[in-house]
Amino acid sequence: MGFLDSILGLFSLDLGIDLGTANTLVAVQGRGLVISEPSVVAVRKGTNQVLTPGGVPAVGDTAKIMLGKTPGNIEAIRPMKDGVIADFDITEVMLRYFINKAHGGRYFSPRPRVVVAVPSGITAVEKRAVKNSAMNAGARKVYLIPEPMAAAIGAGLPVAEPVGSMIVDIGGGTTETAVISMAGLVTSESIRVGGDEFDQCIIRYIKNEYNVLVGDNTAEQIKFQIGNAMPDHDIERLVIRGRNVQTGMPREIEINSQEITEAFREPVTAIINGIKMVLERTQPELAADLLERGICMAGGASLLRGLPEVISMETGLPVGVADDPLTCVARGCAALLEDLDVVKQILDCEGN
C-alpha cells in the first residue's frame, strides 16, 4: 500500500458492497450496514435517462414502488441479472447513488476503497465490467471477492483456518455453494437460481392453475407469507388479486401453502443438486469436518421456511442459518476492509 493511499485511507469511508440481483447492500468500515435497498432504477423508456422526482434519482426504494405501475414512457428496471451486470450504464448510476448516499453528503471525502462481492462463477469479462462500474461510480480502488467467501466471513466462519467450512449463499439471482479452507475456495458451484426464481415459479403456477396473472411484488409477498420448501401439516391460506388472463378483468383467488410448496419443487431441487455436486468434489478430510460442522446458509432466500430442513434431509448434514443472513455478504466485505492483507491472500488463492 502506497504512502498516498495510506493518507487517503485515514479520511475516506471505505465500503463493502453486496451488488445483488434483487438488493444492493452497503456496509461502511467501522460502522456496519448503512444501506439495504432494491437494485432497481427508474428510467425513461428507451433511454438511460434516470428519473429524478424532486431532484433525487429514482433508485432503490424509490424505484421499487414503481415496478409494474409505471406509465408507458417510464420503465423501472433491474440492471443486474443472475448476479452480474446486464446494463452497464444503469449499474454505474445506481452504484454512484449508493456510494454517495453511504458517504452521507461528505463533499470533501476522498474516493473510497471498495470491496465488491461477485458470484464465484462469473467470467473475466464480467469481473472487468463490475470493476469498471465501481471505478466510474467514484471508487478509488476496487477489490472483487467471491460471494461465498464474503458470506462465510460475514457469518463468522473460520475461513483462514485449516478446517473445512461450507457456505450456501442464496441470493436473488444465484446460489453460491462453496467449501472453504485456509482463505481459499477449495471447491465451489454457482447456479443461476435464487429468490427471483422462486417468485417466477409462483407467477407461473398461478397462471397455469388459475389463469390469473400476478406481478413480481405480489409473488414476493406470497413467498414471504405462506412460502414453504417442504410439505407442512398446517396449511396456510392467502387471498390474492390479479388479472384474469382470458377476460382481462381483475380477479380475486385463494391459494394455500401446499400449492406454493409444489411450485417451489424445481428451484429447491436445483439448489440441492448444486450442494451435492460440491460435496462430491470435496476432499475426504474436509468432508469429515463437514459432518461435525455442517452447512451454514446465508442470503435472503435462506429464510424460506423449510429449506434448511429439506437440505439437511437430502445431504445428511446439520444445517444452520447465519445470524441476519441477508447482510452476511455486505458485512463480510466490510470486515475485509479492516485487513487488506487478507484480501490480497484471498485474491492470490483465486489466482487474481
Side-chain angles (χ1 to χ4, degrees), residues 17-56:
I17 300 179
D18 176 10
L19 188 60
T21 304
N23 298 285
T24 295
L25 292 86
V26 182
V28 175
Q29 182 182 8
R31 283 172 46 193
L33 189 72
V34 296
I35 293 173
S36 176
E37 296 192 28
S39 302
V40 183
V41 181
V43 300
R44 298 199 180 278
K45 197 165 187 177
T47 73
N48 287 331
Q49 184 182 351
V50 179
L51 297 181
T52 54
V56 179

Side-chain angles (χ1 to χ4, degrees), residues 39-160:
S39 302
V40 183
V41 181
V43 300
R44 298 199 180 278
K45 197 165 187 177
T47 73
N48 287 331
Q49 184 182 351
V50 179
L51 297 181
T52 54
V56 179
V59 177
D61 289 330
T62 306
K64 175 73 179 287
I65 60 175
M66 300 181 184
L67 277 173
K69 299 181 179 179
T70 57
N73 64 328
I74 296 174
E75 189 175 16
I77 62 174
R78 287 179 165 176
M80 304 292 295
K81 182 175 176 58
D82 298 331
V84 297
I85 294 176
D87 189 311
F88 184 90
D89 294 330
I90 300 301
T91 299
E92 187 177 311
V93 169
M94 184 175 73
L95 270 174
R96 182 177 290 110
Y97 171 79
F98 287 135
I99 288 173
N100 290 339
K101 187 173 181 178
H103 268 229
R106 291 174 57 181
Y107 296 105
F108 301 106
S109 176
R111 288 156 63 98
R113 291 172 299 185
V114 175
V115 173
V116 183
V118 295
S120 58
I122 70 170
T123 65
V125 173
E126 290 167 335
K127 285 182 180 179
R128 192 157 53 247
V130 175
K131 186 171 284 192
N132 289 342
S133 288
M135 293 290 288
N136 293 337
R140 178 170 92 253
K141 181 77 174 176
V142 179
Y143 301 95
L144 302 184
I145 299 295
E147 277 182 21
M149 179 64 74
I153 293 170
L157 299 182
V159 298

Side-chain angles (χ1 to χ4, degrees), residues 11-326:
F11 299 98
S12 68
L13 288 176
D14 294 336
L15 309 176
I17 300 179
D18 176 10
L19 188 60
T21 304
N23 298 285
T24 295
L25 292 86
V26 182
V28 175
Q29 182 182 8
R31 283 172 46 193
L33 189 72
V34 296
I35 293 173
S36 176
E37 296 192 28
S39 302
V40 183
V41 181
V43 300
R44 298 199 180 278
K45 197 165 187 177
T47 73
N48 287 331
Q49 184 182 351
V50 179
L51 297 181
T52 54
V56 179
V59 177
D61 289 330
T62 306
K64 175 73 179 287
I65 60 175
M66 300 181 184
L67 277 173
K69 299 181 179 179
T70 57
N73 64 328
I74 296 174
E75 189 175 16
I77 62 174
R78 287 179 165 176
M80 304 292 295
K81 182 175 176 58
D82 298 331
V84 297
I85 294 176
D87 189 311
F88 184 90
D89 294 330
I90 300 301
T91 299
E92 187 177 311
V93 169
M94 184 175 73
L95 270 174
R96 182 177 290 110
Y97 171 79
F98 287 135
I99 288 173
N100 290 339
K101 187 173 181 178
H103 268 229
R106 291 174 57 181
Y107 296 105
F108 301 106
S109 176
R111 288 156 63 98
R113 291 172 299 185
V114 175
V115 173
V116 183
V118 295
S120 58
I122 70 170
T123 65
V125 173
E126 290 167 335
K127 285 182 180 179
R128 192 157 53 247
V130 175
K131 186 171 284 192
N132 289 342
S133 288
M135 293 290 288
N136 293 337
R140 178 170 92 253
K141 181 77 174 176
V142 179
Y143 301 95
L144 302 184
I145 299 295
E147 277 182 21
M149 179 64 74
I153 293 170
L157 299 182
V159 298
E161 297 179 13
V163 62
S165 297
M166 188 170 193
I167 187 81
V168 177
D169 175 33
I170 310 176
T174 62
T175 294
E176 305 286 326
T177 303
V179 173
I180 299 170
S181 179
M182 298 184 68
L185 300 185
V186 178
T187 181
S188 64
E189 186 71 28
S190 177
I191 62 171
R192 302 206 168 183
V193 174
D196 285 351
E197 182 60 26
F198 285 108
D199 295 343
Q200 293 306 310
C201 285
I202 292 173
I203 291 172
R204 288 195 295 268
Y205 182 87
I206 293 174
K207 181 181 178 183
N208 293 337
E209 294 296 319
Y210 293 97
N211 274 329
V212 170
L213 212 55
V214 298
D216 292 340
N217 288 341
T218 299
E220 193 172 45
Q221 290 172 11
I222 295 169
K223 178 176 67 178
F224 288 140
Q225 292 185 36
I226 64 171
N228 201 324
M230 66 183 300
D232 196 336
H233 296 299
D234 298 325
I235 300 176
E236 297 179 279
R237 303 179 188 279
L238 184 67
V239 175
I240 61 168
R241 298 176 179 88
R243 176 168 57 84
N244 188 293
V245 174
Q246 294 176 330
T247 66
M249 295 294 102
R251 184 184 168 192
E252 188 175 85
I253 61 172
E254 182 182 87
I255 58 173
N256 63 61
S257 54
Q258 281 188 337
E259 293 178 288
I260 304 306
T261 300
E262 179 62 30
F264 286 166
R265 188 182 301 276
E266 188 176 328
V268 168
T269 300
I271 290 170
I272 290 170
N273 288 341
I275 294 171
K276 287 180 176 179
M277 280 192 284
V278 170
L279 289 171
E280 288 167 2
R281 297 197 298 258
T282 302
Q283 298 165 10
E285 292 81 1
L286 294 176
D289 291 336
L290 300 181
L291 277 172
E292 178 184 348
R293 304 179 59 81
I295 298 172
C296 180
M297 294 182 65
S302 67
L303 294 171
L304 177 65
R305 281 182 299 174
L307 189 54
E309 290 81 2
V310 170
I311 292 173
S312 182
M313 287 169 52
E314 291 289 335
T315 62
L317 297 174
V319 177
V321 179
D323 293 334
D324 196 6
L326 181 63

